Amino acid sequence: MKSKPSTTPRRSQGAAPKVVKTKRTRTRPTSAAAPRPARTQGPRRSSRLRAWGRHHRAMALDSLQRLVRTPLGNLLTMLAIAIALVLPAALWLTLDSARLLDAELEESATMTLYLDHGVSVAEAGRIDEALHANAGVISTRLIDPEEGMAEFQRSLGLEDALTGLEENPLPASIVVRPRSVEPTSMEQLAAELGELAGVEEARLDLAWVERLRHLAELGRRVALALGALFGLGVLLVVGNTIRLAVESRRREIEVVMLIGATHAFVRRPFLYSGAWYGLGGGLLAMGLLTLGNHWLSLPVAALAASYGASFSLPALDFLGSTILLSCSTLLGWLGAWLAVSRHLASIRPR
Amino acid sequence: MIAFEHVGKRYGGRFEALANLDFRIERGEMVFLTGHSGAGKSSLLRLIMRLETPSRGRVLVAGHDIAKLHAGQVPFYRRQIGVVFQDHQLLFDRNIFHNVSLPLEIQGVEPREAARRVRAALDKVGLLHREKALPIELSGGEQQRVGIARAVVNKPAMLLADEPTGNLDPQLSADIMGLFEDFNRIGTTVMIASHDLALIARLRHRILRLRDGRLVADEGAA
Ligand SMILES: Nc1ncnc2c1ncn2[C@@H]1O[C@H](COP(=O)(O)OP(=O)(O)O)[C@@H](O)[C@H]1O
Ligand SMILES: [Mg+2]
């Protein structure tokens, strides 16, 4: 205790955290009692940061090595993760291409104004002119009755069946491309244009666009629900694997906690394991998606061709791959975090 | 350094493992803790290590009530204490060097500096030539000395040992105690639980005697 006065001045460190203070008071006298190399007086921040980085690197490597040491079991875990990821990812991809389709549909969203029967061609032209003045209209196309009939016949494939008709039953019509394709504003515009003199009816064929939208919305929700559900599955798979890993290293954990390891220190290698599982699972999922794409692309192309369309299966692009891999890695990390944290509470050094 | 103030410890609400302990240990002291099996020696050490908290009273270390340390501070507190166990708690999948360097790894000591300190500690316990060996390749006495090297590698101000010579023959036990005396000589506060009465008596240090959780004798206080 006689060393105390000589060292007291060094101690005035203001409001240092309690533990640090405890440490100083306790370290000092020993080093004063016998000349020893000075102990780390609470390493400075930069060296602490370096130590932290060093441990991260070491643990990332160490957990990777542990994975490689038992390749089969770990591959199976990753495969389970991959399978859980493939379904929502595939659905998401499909929806993504459906969104493109949707955009095309919006391009072609139009309404048709059917004119009164008595309206002459000149009058129809004037109405068409007048429509251009309307701010809600981008462009119009005037279809006279003959044209209308020809289109009608062509679309039905009944070239001759109607030629016998005495009189053309079709009125002249104007196809209007509206500025806004929002259902409500289109309906408003249709109501407005329907009131114009000489217009018999403004017809808005939105039903199928709507139906498709609803379908896409349904698909989106299903994908989201599946994503959440299968994400939970990934958490469980990783969590269970990590739980076993923690259990198998229980003694080691107890010992390091006994000699002053923080929870973060104990958790770190397991978090990296979880992240590796997630990343591996994500990569496998990408492989499975590519495989599925190859497997299905031929019949899909043939099917599309038979409808006279060209449609190719959507593939993961760079952004998609990045998102998939980050999500899977994050899920693995989170699963590990949950498992270790739950477990650490139950591990108490003996 | 350590002060027990009317400390009691109950396990499971009823059983009283320690009762009304009241004593002080000064900085740089070397103290033996003795008593029959079940007397509460380990419990007392676990209180100091803050593996347990007292059911009543206070344990002060360097003037601080360690029960008040919150969970995040406890690891940093434990780093200030070197602990030696009867079963030495070595990790069997790491060699001697890496067992001893464990506390330094935990504290993030730079590897070159850590290696230097590990070798110094191993040298001190006379096992420098075995640094590459695995724990199972060593004898019981050697394993215990590795445990001691690990306990002192970060130069703690306080060294606790729970029956460190429990499994060793008299000669090895005397060697181990000699090591503890060496560390005490350079200023480390040392507290050793042991029921090897003959050995303890020969060493002439302060002895705290426990019986059924009570302090029944405090002999040879410096
Ligand atoms: N974690 C515990 N839970 C319940 N009882 C315990 C626990 N640890 C120790 N004890 C009891 O406390 C008493 C003192 O034990 P201990 O401190 O290990 O004594 P010693 O180390 O002197 O042999 C013993 O009766 C023991 O059974
Ligand atoms: Mg005991």
Side-chain angles (χ1 to χ4, degrees), chain A residues 1 3-4 11 17-31 33-34 36-40 43 47-48 50-52 54-55 59 66 249 251-263 265 348-350, chain B residues 1 26-27 46 49 51-52 61-62 64-65 68-69 72-81 83 85 89-94 102-103 105-111 116-117 150 154-158 183 185-189:
Chain A
M1 284 291 103
S3 60
K4 197 166 187 174
R11 194 179 165 194
K18 190 169 180 182
V19 167
V20 176
K21 223 155 69 192
T22 317
K23 180 174 177 171
R24 289 213 179 103
T25 24
R26 202 139 2 84
T27 16
R28 230 178 336 93
T30 33
S31 44
R36 298 178 175 181
R39 263 194 73 201
T40 29
S47 82
R48 261 217 309 269
R50 245 179 293 131
W52 183 81
R54 205 160 44 227
H55 191 244
M59 289 304 103
R66 278 172 199 272
R249 293 174 70 183
R251 227 186 71 83
E252 182 183 345
I253 294 173
E254 284 172 358
V255 171
V256 297
M257 280 172 77
L258 215 47
I259 55 184
T262 56
H263 278 195
F265 181 93
R348 299 189 63 216
R350 274 169 295 155
Chain B
M1 184 80 162
E26 299 303 333
R27 224 176 276 280
R46 290 169 65 83
M49 289 162 65
L51 290 168
E52 306 284 355
V61 175
H64 295 285
D65 181 352
K68 294 215 179 98
L69 294 177
Q73 293 173 314
V74 170
F76 297 93
Y77 167 70
R78 286 204 190 122
R79 292 175 192 183
Q80 311 307 310
I81 309 173
V83 191
F85 306 89
Q89 301 269 27
L90 300 180
L91 296 180
F92 288 101
D93 58 347
R94 295 172 161 236
L102 202 55
E105 267 174 53
I106 288 171
Q107 293 179 33
V109 174
E110 188 266 319
R116 198 185 59 71
R117 289 203 226 163
R150 187 183 68 188
N154 60 352
K155 299 186 164 61
M158 177 159 61
F183 289 113
R185 218 164 284 135
I186 57 172
T188 312
T189 308

Side-chain angles (χ1 to χ4, degrees), chain A residues 247-290:
Chain A
E247 202 48 63
S248 77
R249 293 174 70 183
R250 190 185 190 94
R251 227 186 71 83
E252 182 183 345
I253 294 173
E254 284 172 358
V255 171
V256 297
M257 280 172 77
L258 215 47
I259 55 184
T262 56
H263 278 195
F265 181 93
V266 173
R267 218 182 268 137
R268 207 161 288 147
F270 298 108
L271 295 187
Y272 272 105
S273 299
W276 289 127
Y277 280 129
L279 186 63
L283 286 171
L284 279 178
M286 275 173 65
L288 287 179
L289 284 173
T290 313

